[in-house]
Amino acid sequence: MNQTIIRGVEAAPPAVSRPTTLNRIGAFVELTKPGIVRMVLITAATGFFMASTLGHPVDFVLLLHALLGIGLAASGACGLNEYAEWEADGRMRRTASRPVPSGRMQPRTALYFSGALVLAGLAHLQVFVNARTVALVALTVVSYVLIYTPLKRRTWLATLVGAVPGALPILAGWTAGGGGFSAPRLALFAILFLWQMPPFY
């Protein structure tokens, strides 16, 4: 349902109906934007495999740990993005059916669930992968949620900012696969950064 905004008064959380268990699970899945997460995992896996070709065999167990941690953090970042924008989403036909503005989930639930996913992903990467990957994934979450999300309603230049978290996952995969700070790593980032411009503009 559309959220009614009264001038000068903070919008109240949407009224939540009593969904079935299946619908409730579906709302949590939808909150994480699986399509975006899938692309993040593909680019991270690409970086992992490219780093693994630099003289050592592919460690598939490490790859699974990396993708799990990156996937959890990416899912949480997408959920935090939806939490931050639920009021605006409720005023647009294209986004009004999302879990929070549609009333299928309370904003606080979306915040706590998404935050827990981010923390779980970072913790998993710290334990099973390495600190460099944790730092890159954390930078991705912060730049996407705290910089790009509020900026995109203010200026078209937000696309440039948003291209940074869009290109960082391939670096996270690179460092998870054992790659260091080298020219190929910068080239991967530049390719993915610039590739995003034509479709957005």
Side-chain angles (χ1 to χ4, degrees):
M1 63 182 178
N2 289 332
Q3 181 68 33
T4 302
I5 308 297
I6 301 175
R7 181 174 297 179
V9 178
E10 183 179 353
V16 177
S17 57
R18 294 183 178 275
T20 64
T21 300
L22 187 60
N23 289 339
R24 187 177 293 112
I25 294 173
F28 280 102
V29 172
E30 184 182 340
L31 182 76
T32 63
K33 300 183 179 178
I36 292 178
V37 174
R38 180 172 60 249
M39 292 302 298
V40 167
L41 294 179
I42 290 172
T43 55
T46 300
F48 187 99
F49 277 109
M50 293 187 74
S52 297
T53 61
L54 301 178
H56 51 85
V58 176
D59 186 338
F60 287 98
V61 173
L62 180 60
L63 172 62
L64 290 176
H65 281 304
L67 293 182
L68 177 58
I70 292 170
L72 286 171
S75 298
C78 289
L80 291 174
N81 169 265
E82 289 208 19
Y83 165 77
E85 297 191 313
W86 75 265
E87 292 183 40
D89 285 347
R91 297 194 289 270
M92 294 189 294
R93 182 178 301 174
R94 180 178 64 84
T95 56
S97 62
R98 287 178 175 175
V100 179
S102 68
R104 288 179 290 143
M105 184 184 297
Q106 286 283 6
R108 183 175 298 180
T109 302
L111 173 63
Y112 292 164
F113 175 71
S114 301
L117 286 178
V118 170
L119 293 177
L122 295 177
H124 189 86
L125 292 171
Q126 180 65 45
V127 173
F128 295 102
V129 186
N130 58 55
R132 286 182 298 175
T133 304
V134 173
L136 284 168
V137 173
L139 177 61
T140 304
V141 173
V142 169
S143 59
Y144 178 64
V145 176
L146 298 183
I147 302 177
Y148 166 70
T149 296
L151 194 63
K152 70 180 183 178
R153 286 189 285 168
R154 293 183 171 90
T155 173
W156 64 272
L157 292 174
T159 300
L160 291 173
V161 177
V164 173
L168 284 174
I170 200 165
L171 297 189
W174 175 268
T175 57
F181 295 91
S182 59
R185 176 187 181 187
L186 297 178
L188 288 175
F189 177 84
I191 290 169
L192 221 59
F193 179 86
L194 295 173
W195 171 82
Q196 296 175 75
M197 300 304 158
F200 278 107
Y201 285 138

